[in-house]
Amino acid sequence: MGRSHAIAGRHAARPAEIWNLQDLLRDPAHDLDVLRQELEEQVRRFEGFRDRLAPEIPAETFLDALKLAEAITRTMSRLGAYAYLWFSENTKNQKARAFKAAVEEMQAGFANRMLFFDLWWQKLDDASAGRLLAGAGDYAYHLDSLRRFKDHALSEPEEKIINVKSVTGRRALVGLYDILTNGLTYTLTVNGKARTLTREDLLVYVRDPDARIREAAYRELYRVFARHADVIGEVYKTLVTDWKQEHLGLRKHRSPISVRNLMNDVPEEAVEALLSVCARNAGVFQGYFAIKARLCRIRKMSRYHIYAPFREARRRYSFAAASAKVLDAYRAFSPRLAELAGRVLEERHVDVAVRPGKLSGAYCYSVIPGLTPYVLLNFKGDVRDVATLAHELGHAVHGMLAAEHSIFTFHAMLPLAETASVFGERLLSDAWMAEERDKVVKQSLLIRQLDDAYATILRQAYFVRFEREAHRIIGAGGTMDDLCGTYLSELRQQFGRAVAVPDEFRWEWLSIPHLFASPFYCYAYSFGNLLVLALYALYRTHGESFVLRYLALLAAGGSRSPEALLKD
């Protein structure tokens, strides 16, 4: 207990310090050459299995191939993680960008040489596949997942072309979006003084007590995005067209979202039900915002003001204090969770400070089983930043608990990927409420929780609703005006009469990275938050007996289907 706090405090005393990437690579240029040679030798050995692949292949030989594939994947994952984390520190860093490009090109080349195995496995007859699956152990669900895509696989030459072109195509465009949007600057007048801000700095002011400041912050955010709308919009349209051409045109998926559903191993009916239920119950949050308008004395609630604070002091937390608060909340639920979360801080696997060019937002990167995950934050010290720390450390402990699985099965499937993160936030919120004695502060905390529930349930579902329409519009030759008009219409439907939505919010979708990098990802947030509400109710009912079952759920990682894991 004391050790975790002491180390968290030491780390936090230097908030500008970036994370320690030496647990991945010591010398990137040198290590890249060494690991490339190592991978070359391993991939050459793997290619030796090509002539041994047949329906009657011995189970031992099949497992040998899988173990070698896992070793190769671990090394490539380590290189890929270093490249992305270095790039995230400063998207303007030319050396980091060059290293990332070199790693991605190398990864595509090695992946192409190994493609034959997955394609053979997908085409193997069911009886032979069943025999091999019976002895596959922890690899079984990974192998099952590959076979889910057998009807959508292409020939080996076609798959190779797609892999190579994605480096300079889709992945390059997503990188361009990151470089452009994370390099934007904004000007806001505060206390009579014009300030030049990063996006992370600007977004602090959308929760400012002064309504004029909140409105000005949003206006400035979308003024800047509108100025770059032509370029960002073309990037998006190209990404959507690429998704359509590959997944619908070549692979013959039924719809753009069905690709993601198959990846997630979730029935399309379940996703449709999720999105429909969220839309049908939009009135719940509309009613909430009407109540909030009265509480915050806002004459007419507007999209500018949905995150307005409620009679709260502007509390600021050092990173040390935030870390201690999160670890205490985790420890009250499970000392094991606190121990694992503390290790992320102890090993300096957190990048804390806001910097120009740094990737916006926050994420957790679980690289390989057994290696402590990395967490990126843009920590400014407000209450939301403490909650974000709890969220990202939840992701980290999820990966750490699943470390006994292979690299193919330790990552949680997307529908469960947000479970530990949202549960961590819930633990923090309850701890805050339990220790607080001031009624007004408690009301403020509850309002923040409801604000977050809106942002992570209804808002995310409507992003996916917009994506479905956007893919249809672009496929039919629609324009930026069509996309922005559709987004604004969806937004106004989402808020109904309870919240006025000014016209400049038509540009909001341009600022949402998931729409560009991971189409249809966002329903995982809706799913995860609703699931956590159900799980947390079980915890409140069953107490300690629930804790062990919950930890077992996290420890399963992605070794079984989401449905099978939740049935347990």
Side-chain angles (χ1 to χ4, degrees), residues 511-554:
S511 69
I512 310 301
H514 280 317
L515 305 190
F516 292 76
S518 305
F520 308 105
Y521 179 99
C522 291
Y523 73 68
Y525 290 110
S526 305
F527 189 100
N529 277 268
L530 292 170
L531 173 62
V532 165
L533 289 174
L535 291 175
Y536 210 78
L538 289 174
Y539 169 51
R540 299 288 288 270
T541 301
H542 298 288
E544 191 64 31
S545 65
F546 170 84
V547 175
L548 294 177
R549 293 172 63 196
Y550 175 72
L551 295 181
L553 172 66
L554 300 189

Side-chain angles (χ1 to χ4, degrees), residues 285 288 384 425-426 428-430 432-433 442-456:
F285 287 104
Y288 161 65
R384 279 301 312 138
E425 287 191 73
R426 176 58 54 189
L428 175 66
S429 296
D430 269 18
W432 248 327
M433 289 293 289
K442 280 194 168 188
Q443 289 175 328
S444 174
L445 289 171
L446 283 172
I447 285 175
R448 279 185 174 272
Q449 288 182 39
L450 290 168
D451 287 351
D452 290 345
Y454 156 72
T456 52

Side-chain angles (χ1 to χ4, degrees), residues 5-17 318-324 345 348 352 379:
H5 282 200
I7 291 170
R10 185 176 74 240
H11 176 63
R14 297 158 63 191
E17 185 177 34
S318 67
F319 188 67
S323 300
L345 305 169
R348 288 182 40 236
V352 179
F379 187 86

Side-chain angles (χ1 to χ4, degrees), residues 373-439:
Y374 284 85
V375 168
L376 179 135
L377 303 170
N378 279 276
F379 187 86
K380 300 169 290 295
D382 62 23
V383 173
R384 279 301 312 138
D385 290 330
V386 184
T388 299
L389 176 61
H391 181 102
E392 300 305 337
L393 288 178
H395 281 304
V397 299
H398 198 166
M400 296 165 86
L401 282 168
E404 296 303 313
H405 295 288
S406 77
I407 194 166
F408 301 126
T409 54
F410 93 110
H411 283 116
M413 295 294 288
L414 192 57
L416 299 182
E418 296 297 332
T419 304
S421 54
V422 178
F423 201 93
E425 287 191 73
R426 176 58 54 189
L427 292 173
L428 175 66
S429 296
D430 269 18
W432 248 327
M433 289 293 289
E435 70 185 31
E436 188 56 63
R437 295 292 176 263
D438 188 308
K439 180 180 177 181

Side-chain angles (χ1 to χ4, degrees), residues 466-482:
F466 165 70
E467 282 186 278
R468 291 195 304 188
E469 283 301 298
H471 280 246
R472 181 189 62 78
I473 289 167
I474 292 169
T479 65
M480 270 292 289
D481 285 342
D482 296 326

